[in-house]
Amino acid sequence: MKAFLPSHDTPFKKTHDLDELGRACLALDASLSESLLSVATLTVFAWEFRYPGDAQVPSMHEVREYLAIANRLYRAILSRLPQACHP
């Protein structure tokens, strides 16, 4: 999402809030709505495990679900970026 927004000359504030970034992306391309449905659940991973403490480690089932959400969004965003941006 942080590549998609500048590729459309759309600034965004420094944030890890995927819901906020997703709303900005939707304003540019409503066809991303299905890919962005569950992305807000991933926001916690931007900070939860960076520091030692009482963080609950997700189960392998949850990890697979979260990775699937992230991969769907990654592919959706990448397909909308210029070929020069592709890995």
Side-chain angles (χ1 to χ4, degrees):
M1 290 184 284
K2 288 183 176 180
F4 183 76
L5 294 170
S7 76
H8 288 83
D9 296 321
T10 302
F12 57 92
K13 70 179 187 175
K14 188 174 182 178
T15 184
H16 294 298
D17 185 339
L18 299 181
D19 191 44
E20 179 180 333
L21 292 167
R23 285 191 306 272
C25 290
L26 278 176
L28 297 169
D29 186 342
S31 72
L32 284 168
S33 62
E34 188 174 330
S35 299
L36 289 165
L37 280 176
S38 302
V39 77
T41 61
L42 303 178
T43 294
V44 68
F45 295 106
W47 55 268
E48 178 84 18
F49 301 102
R50 285 187 179 190
Y51 308 103
D54 298 328
Q56 177 94 7
V57 176
S59 69
M60 283 306 294
H61 176 75
E62 291 171 313
V63 168
R64 286 185 188 100
E65 284 181 23
Y66 298 144
L67 282 172
I69 292 167
N71 281 323
R72 278 192 302 272
L73 180 60
Y74 172 76
R75 287 191 308 272
I77 294 288
L78 189 62
S79 73
R80 289 160 174 83
L81 292 174
Q83 190 65 33
C85 297
H86 292 216

